[in-house]
Amino acid sequence: MAEAAETAGINNALVDGGYVDRENTHFHVNSASLWDLPDVWVPIGIAVPGRQSRELVGPLGDGMMAIEPDRDLGTWWDAATRPNAPSREVAQLPISGTATWTPRPGGLRSCSVGA
């Protein structure tokens, strides 16, 4: 999980602008920068497996991606995020059945799932 915390910290620093130099346990970054910065902050979503992980990376992310049906995940995430910072909580749910992809204008596709 320390790798995820280092990655989130590096990503945040890159989106803040300027050059990033970090020598962490898992990653060494020398003079990295983004050439075309976005006009608005790019939210960073983090998928983490347990409470300890959320407490470690919560202050570094803008959203949590839950991959298990646990009601307490959102409560833990809210307690671990930056004070007064907006945060999103997204759930990933497994779907069984047959997926059908339908072409849409502009190269997009939509998916419908049948049993």
Side-chain angles (χ1 to χ4, degrees):
M1 202 75 284
E3 290 178 21
E6 287 181 19
T7 302
I10 291 167
N11 287 339
N12 285 337
L14 287 168
V15 175
D16 282 342
Y19 287 93
V20 177
D21 291 294
R22 299 274 173 97
E23 187 150 336
N24 297 322
T25 303
H26 301 283
F27 300 101
H28 300 270
V29 180
N30 297 313
S31 299
S33 68
L34 294 178
W35 291 98
D36 294 315
L37 286 172
D39 293 331
V40 296
W41 176 261
V42 178
I44 295 176
I46 301 176
V48 288
R51 182 176 185 167
Q52 182 180 6
S53 303
R54 284 175 189 79
E55 292 171 353
L56 178 64
V57 297
L60 302 172
D62 300 304
M64 176 195 73
M65 293 177 279
I67 57 172
E68 57 188 273
D70 185 344
R71 176 176 291 208
D72 293 329
L73 298 181
T75 304
W76 293 339
W77 180 261
D78 290 340
T81 55
R82 296 181 294 258
N84 302 319
S87 178
R88 293 187 67 190
E89 293 149 8
V90 180
Q92 178 181 349
L93 302 173
I95 298 175
S96 330
T98 304
T100 304
W101 292 95
T102 307
R104 299 285 182 218
L108 302 174
R109 299 184 301 164
S110 63
C111 179
S112 59
V113 178

